[in-house]
Amino acid sequence: MKKVNCFRCKHFRTTWNPAFPRACEAYGFKTKEIPSAFVLKSTGTECLQFAEKKQKKKNNQSATSSMIDYRL
């Protein structure tokens, strides 16, 4: 069994409500704990809605040169 990391899921959201700071848009609930742990505790099965977020490609230009002019 692979542990589900909600922070890498596209359905995971952070809410404004301090009583329920985490949410799962796939299942439509808010909770105080990690949503995958709540699903496991409630249903007895792992989260079946996990979908990996698409990662943004890093800009390679910032590693090679800078656009800042340091001359005075």
Side-chain angles (χ1 to χ4, degrees):
M1 285 173 107
K2 184 181 174 188
K3 190 171 182 179
V4 177
N5 184 355
C6 289
F7 294 105
R8 300 192 73 182
C9 181
K10 70 177 185 178
H11 302 295
F12 177 78
R13 297 291 179 260
T14 303
T15 69
W16 59 269
N17 190 343
F20 303 104
R22 299 177 181 107
C24 177
E25 287 188 343
Y27 287 114
F29 66 84
K30 296 177 186 175
T31 182
K32 196 166 235 182
E33 56 190 302
I34 299 295
S36 62
F38 183 76
V39 169
L40 181 62
K41 185 169 63 172
S42 300
T43 64
T45 60
E46 287 190 14
C47 176
L48 301 174
Q49 298 294 325
F50 177 79
E52 189 85 22
K53 285 182 185 178
K54 292 182 182 177
Q55 298 293 324
K56 295 179 182 177
K57 292 182 181 180
K58 292 183 179 179
N59 188 355
N60 197 15
Q61 181 183 2
S62 62
T64 58
S65 66
S66 175
M67 299 297 289
I68 300 172
D69 187 6
Y70 291 105
R71 296 176 289 170
L72 295 175

